[in-house]
Amino acid sequence: MSRIFNTLFNIKQNEVHKTLLMFSYIFLIIASLLIAKPVRNSLFLTHYGVHMLPWAFMLVAVFAAGIIELYTRMSKRVHFNKLIKSTLLISIFSLLIFWGLLKINYNAGWFFFVIYIWVALFGVITTSQFWLLANYVFDARQAKRLFGFIGSGAISGGIAGGYMTRLLAPILGTSNMLLLCALFLIICIVLLSLIWQKDTRDNYTQKLLKEEKRRKGEKPGNAIKIISKSRHLLYLALIVGVGVMVANLVDYQFNAIASDIIKDKDKLTAFFGFWLSNLSVASLLIQMFLTGRIFKLFGVATSLYFLPVGILAGAISILLQPALWSAIIIKVADGGFKQSINKAGLELLTVPIPGKMKNQTKAFIDVFIDSLATGISGLLLIILVTNLHLSVAHLSIVIILLIIVWLYLIIKVKSEYLNSFRLAIEKRSIDPSQQTTKIDDATMVAYFKQILETDNTRQLIYVLDLLENNINPQLAPILHNLLNHKSHQIRLKTLEIIQNYEPDAFIDKVRNMLSDNHFDIKVEAILFLLRHDKESENLIGALISNSDYKICSAAMLAASIQFKNDALFRKKINISDLYHEFIQQSCIRELDSNQRNFINITITKVIGISSEKLLYPYMLELLKDESIAVVQSAIVQSGNTRDPLFIPTLTEYLTHKTHKTLARNALALYGEAILPEMDSILHNKETDFRLMYAIPKVLSSINTQDSANILINHINTGDPGFRYRVLKALNKLRDGNPMLKFELEIIEDIIFTETEKYYNLLSVHQVFSNNIKDLTEQQIKAKLLLSRSITEHMEDILERTFRLLGLYYPPGDIYNAYLAVTSQQNDSTANAVEFLDNLLHSRLKKIILPLLEDDKSEIENKPLQMDHHHVIKDETDALTFLLTVNNSWLKSCTIYYISVLKKSEYNTLVENLNINNDPLVKQTIGLYYQMMAN
């Protein structure tokens, strides 16, 4: 089955499951929409008549703008999968309410307007959510290959939904069709839970973090200003706006003629369902048989003409004969071309627009321009039909005039598109890794051919990246020549691109590339041969036995990659046997240490890629290899296997100076599976402190709520160094995943404890700020050292307090407030205090704001009663308290000060510290006894 999907749709084996889930999801969403739309139209028209339709258009525009704005705000606060689930549940609940009211024949005037508006918003939000979800499920390269197949699920859903309405509406009744929509959405909730698995969650978190960083790095821009400065964007926005206006006028004509001829509600519902399905069929046929050919033959400009010209033919038909057949012609032209050729053409128009400009203007064009044009078309219909009493047929004159404007805008945007593309390639402003649209435009392909035939290496690589998933036979001869290019980067990139081309034109050239000097090119060449050679098992056996150690290494590595990705190859090849053959051939060769290390590094990659458990004992050996490079590769590849067998060894390397970063990254790849092991290490009192210090960094790389909870549980354990690392890890998690939840009560309790420490130290510091008379020079120096250490400890507490605040409140705001407070500038501090006064919860304000005031002398005026407040009356109380603080440096400075005082009354306090295991404190106690003895 996987082989069939790979052959027919270019879907790889590991992508089949999630691709089918996404196909099913969008199928059901669009099917429910195509059931709801005919129901809506039929109910509205039979109740009000077509003359109220313009008012519905205007209300849709108004409510769309408001609801989308509210939805956008919610999307920043709610986890995306929960947002989708909530949308589906609200939709199901709404459908059931509509069904119930219809069953009791509720027919208040507002009710049918609500249904009309709801269906419009449902279509916009749910489809938008789906394509956002698709961007989290698939990366950009997968998207280029798979979005076409997944998009056909939408068209198939439209066909099925409309025909079901045609068949079932006369039998079940119009209102009961809403129950079928609700059933489809219930299934969508099940599918969502299957889709939202670990990989999707991780992709969502990573893209969320990238989006946050992008927003921070970009200056806020006014979308209107940006569009007004770019003629390309201006023409694009105008094309979208005029297209929406024409579509609404066409929709009005179609509905008016249909409702005038078909009076029965259920028959009208069936009619709308039938023809909406026919539109989907037309769209599918055009997409399958025309869209690609049109782009390859004529380019983007010609593709944009089809929709307005098709509508023009329909408008003329209605003008001449306003009958049902002419209404069907104009609707088929509109629906058939809009979702196929025109949609793809508009996507191509946005390709050369720089990413920042696209991000800042896309939502404006998609939402605001669309809503504005919908509202204008409603207003225009009110003026033309209600006030001027223009007939349905004469509306075609207005449509024809708008189409003339539309065609003019297409002519203008064509030249801007070409100029933008040339500029984008020169400046490399298109990000190939984020580009999900295939570039099949004939004009652009011709331009690419010119670049590919030049010797500009930088532009060549860039264009090859853009063309990676665009199979175009016109480029085959050029790609064939590029396999001989002097740049190994271009040869490698070309090899990657031709993997999807017909092999006959390249196979001989690729065989010769086995002698290429670059190892990566050998691997990619062998991959090409394995994918296109029917006797691949014989080929790989021969290459493994090759006398060149690099060729046999490349063959082994290529075999492991193919073994992972190709189920048919796995049936033909036993990777374990192949590995032993590779080892045997390597042992009989005379290799120097560098060559042996090269072989061993290849072995680690083979095991990491294939994840063949029979080979894991070899990986354990290589994790202890004498070569640093081999060990480092083994660490990386052990992480790639995510097998628990390697966790103990990887954990050991967390304290290794050379390997700790790689070990940390490798353990982080295990994700949530590693959390129990890490938590167990932190709970073990015998754990080496260096390992304790390393664990929080591992946890900070696993962006999950469970990881954050483990860190929270250890935030008050261990020494200050460990607690500081736990807090830093929590702050990193918070920055990397804004959706993590931290209970305010827990944070308050921890902050309360930190604040108590601060006030106690403040009392101590005030005692030490006095009475330096009658002290020797050595005693003064010791006292100043102790005073500085107290101040530093207080500063550490203040920093920890702000880090804790950053877990609950916006981290950027809290960080800026902390910088202002510690800037020593009165104005900045005052502004920060005022900001925190408005931001913080009332209980937090009472304990934090006093810390930031300039005058801290009146400790007795503390704003709250503290359970562990120490009454510091004199220096003896101060020293007694300092010896209880969990800070080695502060204790050592206190002991040293006591030692230079040479007062025997402190002997008991110091002797009680003998049980302390901290080496610094022990060393200082030894100095104390030595000085007291002299």
Side-chain angles (χ1 to χ4, degrees), residues 47-162:
H47 184 80
Y48 285 118
V50 74
H51 67 280
M52 293 298 289
L53 201 56
W55 293 101
F57 289 165
M58 293 185 67
L59 287 173
V60 166
V62 172
F63 277 92
I67 294 295
I68 294 298
E69 175 63 25
L70 178 63
Y71 174 82
T72 302
R73 293 185 181 183
M74 289 295 297
S75 67
K76 295 176 181 178
R77 300 180 181 179
V78 182
H79 213 263
F80 186 61
N81 67 316
K82 293 180 180 178
L83 188 65
I84 298 178
K85 188 175 180 180
S86 299
T87 303
L88 292 173
L89 287 171
I90 292 171
S91 299
I92 293 166
F93 186 64
S94 301
L95 286 166
L96 294 176
I97 291 176
F98 295 156
W99 173 80
L101 292 174
L102 288 170
K103 293 304 286 184
I104 63 173
N105 294 319
Y106 185 80
N107 58 3
W110 60 269
F111 175 51
F112 296 101
F113 271 104
V114 169
I115 294 179
Y116 196 97
I117 296 167
W118 182 90
V119 171
L121 296 178
F122 168 78
V124 171
I125 292 175
T126 53
T127 53
S128 173
Q129 283 180 336
F130 171 81
W131 289 112
L132 274 174
L133 177 64
N135 279 297
Y136 298 134
V137 176
F138 305 105
D139 60 36
R141 292 185 177 186
Q142 291 173 321
K144 286 183 183 179
R145 287 187 291 104
L146 304 176
F147 276 13
F149 174 77
I150 293 170
S152 67
I155 297 175
S156 303
I159 295 170

Side-chain angles (χ1 to χ4, degrees), residues 730-782:
L730 282 166
N731 289 139
K732 182 182 175 185
L733 274 176
R734 178 70 169 82
D735 283 342
N737 190 351
M739 297 298 179
L740 289 179
K741 302 296 182 183
F742 297 94
E743 294 296 332
L744 181 59
E745 291 78 9
I746 296 175
I747 295 172
E748 277 186 351
D749 290 341
I750 301 170
I751 290 176
F752 200 88
T753 302
E754 294 294 328
T755 307
E756 287 182 335
K757 296 175 186 176
Y758 189 94
Y759 277 114
N760 286 325
L761 285 170
L762 188 58
S763 299
V764 170
H765 193 272
Q766 288 190 344
V767 169
F768 270 77
S769 64
N770 303 318
N771 302 325
I772 61 170
K773 296 179 181 179
D774 304 323
L775 296 180
T776 66
E777 183 179 349
Q778 185 182 19
Q779 290 171 340
I780 292 173
K781 288 181 179 178

Side-chain angles (χ1 to χ4, degrees), residues 525-539:
I526 294 171
L527 273 173
F528 182 90
L529 296 175
L530 289 178
R531 289 165 182 165
H532 299 293
D533 194 319
K534 295 180 181 179
E535 301 295 327
S536 55
E537 61 270 30
N538 297 329
L539 172 66

Side-chain angles (χ1 to χ4, degrees), residues 865-884:
Q865 186 67 35
M866 296 184 292
D867 296 333
H868 300 94
H869 174 57
H870 292 257
V871 179
I872 310 296
K873 297 179 180 178
D874 53 28
E875 188 168 286
T876 302
D877 290 336
L879 294 174
T880 303
F881 170 74
L882 289 174
L883 291 174
T884 66

Side-chain angles (χ1 to χ4, degrees), residues 269-493:
T269 302
F271 173 81
F272 284 136
F274 177 70
W275 278 105
L276 285 176
S277 280
N278 289 343
L279 297 182
S280 297
V281 171
S283 180
L284 179 62
L285 293 174
I286 293 169
Q287 183 71 17
M288 290 175 59
F289 299 110
L290 289 179
T291 301
R293 289 178 171 84
I294 287 169
F295 282 129
K296 288 178 181 178
L297 288 173
F298 304 110
V300 66
T302 303
S303 73
L304 293 176
Y305 288 127
F306 276 77
L307 178 58
V309 169
I311 294 174
L312 178 64
I316 293 172
S317 300
I318 290 179
L319 183 63
L320 297 176
Q321 182 66 49
L324 193 58
W325 64 266
S326 56
I328 290 172
I329 288 176
I330 195 169
K331 193 62 179 175
V332 168
D334 177 49
F337 291 128
K338 183 191 294 182
Q339 296 303 321
S340 54
I341 297 176
N342 196 72
K343 182 180 178 181
L346 289 175
E347 285 183 2
L348 276 174
L349 278 181
T350 66
V351 170
I353 297 170
K356 288 183 179 180
M357 291 175 63
K358 195 183 298 186
N359 289 329
Q360 291 173 310
T361 57
K362 187 177 189 306
F364 180 84
I365 293 174
D366 290 349
V367 177
F368 181 79
I369 296 295
D370 190 290
S371 299
L372 179 65
T374 299
I376 291 173
S377 58
L379 182 61
L380 190 61
L381 282 169
I382 291 171
I383 295 171
L384 295 175
V385 177
T386 306
N387 295 338
L388 299 181
H389 305 291
L390 208 64
S391 68
V392 170
H394 289 136
L395 274 179
S396 291
I397 298 173
V398 179
I399 292 175
I400 291 168
L401 293 175
L402 286 172
I403 288 174
I404 292 171
V405 175
W406 191 348
L407 295 173
Y408 170 78
L409 291 171
I410 292 172
I411 294 170
K412 298 299 291 184
V413 83
K414 177 183 177 183
S415 60
E416 294 301 326
Y417 169 71
L418 294 172
N419 291 334
S420 296
F421 228 122
R422 291 190 186 99
L423 191 63
I425 291 174
E426 289 173 8
K427 294 186 174 182
R428 294 189 292 178
S429 59
I430 306 171
D431 185 356
S433 67
Q434 299 300 316
Q435 184 55 45
T436 59
T437 304
K438 289 187 177 183
I439 304 171
D440 291 325
D441 177 33
T443 310
M444 286 302 99
V445 170
Y447 183 53
F448 287 154
K449 287 173 69 175
Q450 294 177 16
I451 295 175
L452 293 175
E453 289 172 344
T454 66
D455 203 29
N456 187 326
T457 302
R458 183 177 64 87
Q459 281 197 355
L460 269 173
I461 294 174
Y462 183 64
V463 169
L464 288 172
D465 281 335
L466 289 174
L467 292 172
E468 185 169 358
N469 284 305
N470 292 267
I471 302 172
N472 193 312
Q474 298 179 50
L475 300 176
I478 301 173
L479 295 173
H480 187 276
N481 293 333
L482 288 177
L483 291 173
N484 292 325
H485 199 277
K486 61 184 179 181
S487 167
H488 79 276
Q489 291 176 295
I490 291 174
R491 297 200 301 277
L492 179 61
K493 194 68 195 177

